[in-house]
Amino acid sequence: HAFPISFHLGTAIAALSTGHFNPSSGVCWMGVYPPGCNIEGGGTECQRGTPYDRLFGFGFVFVPQAVYSVLIALVMLVMGCHAWTRYRQTIRKNRFARISDFGRSQRTKSNLVVTQCILYAISYLNCTAWASVTGFLHERGVQMDYLGKHYWIAVCAITFYPLQGFLYFLIFNRPNFIERRKRRQRQRLDEWEEEEQEERQRQRQRLDEW
């Protein structure tokens, strides 16, 4: 977390101080101002930025993002392979693990991890896809009509992009919520069993008295 936050915050401050950080579609980006002034035949003189702003944006954002994303993916892949190897070794030690409580708990944990990964991926794609669409249209020179035909694209981009951290927070706490719900269900079941047992005792007492 420290590396991407510090790197991108530093490049954003540097680009802002040198005039390379300007409005672009629904967010601020390394580009020229006014938008489209670098297009040939546009007839507008650029007040901020240089013709190499796209190259700066690509080098300062996408390249580092790709590098640390690949590194994190490789680290998680190695950790996953190591965990799977340990799991298989445990299965070999216990011949009946497939039908035991341990085997069922391990499969439950594996399904929970897979579900968490899928939810993280869906949340990431949903939060970044709309902003990527607006950025792509802007780079293609499309005049964005945020109050007209591009209204819902702009609404989705501005709504979901800032919600990425909040959605991650919900997904991160999802296992705790599931565990608390199961705990409440077990408590209710235990209370019901206690009530049933007390009722049976009262019935036995009544029968003995009779």
Side-chain angles (χ1 to χ4, degrees), residues 6-132:
S6 59
F7 182 86
H8 293 307
L9 183 61
T11 54
I13 295 175
L16 180 63
S17 62
T18 57
H20 294 82
F21 204 40
N22 300 296
S24 175
S25 64
V27 296
C28 290
W29 187 249
M30 293 181 185
V32 294
Y33 183 81
C37 65
N38 57 342
I39 301 176
E40 296 182 1
T44 304
E45 183 180 357
C46 293
Q47 301 176 7
R48 292 167 57 89
T50 65
Y52 303 101
D53 286 327
R54 292 184 181 180
L55 181 61
F56 292 155
F58 181 82
F60 287 152
V61 177
F62 290 110
V63 173
Q65 183 178 0
V67 170
Y68 63 70
S69 296
V70 171
L71 290 177
I72 292 174
L74 291 176
V75 171
M76 296 302 296
L77 180 61
V78 172
M79 294 176 60
C81 293
H82 180 67
W84 176 254
T85 302
R86 292 181 58 186
Y87 171 71
R88 296 299 299 175
Q89 291 176 353
T90 307
I91 291 295
R92 293 190 184 98
K93 292 180 181 179
N94 187 0
R95 296 181 179 179
F96 302 100
R98 294 182 179 275
I99 58 176
S100 65
D101 294 336
F102 172 77
R104 286 193 294 270
S105 64
Q106 289 296 107
R107 287 193 294 272
T108 302
K109 291 180 181 179
S110 299
N111 294 333
L112 180 61
V113 171
V114 172
T115 304
Q116 289 289 103
C117 293
I118 293 175
L119 290 176
Y120 276 123
I122 293 175
S123 176
Y124 175 78
L125 293 175
N126 180 57
C127 292
T128 58
W130 302 105
S132 300

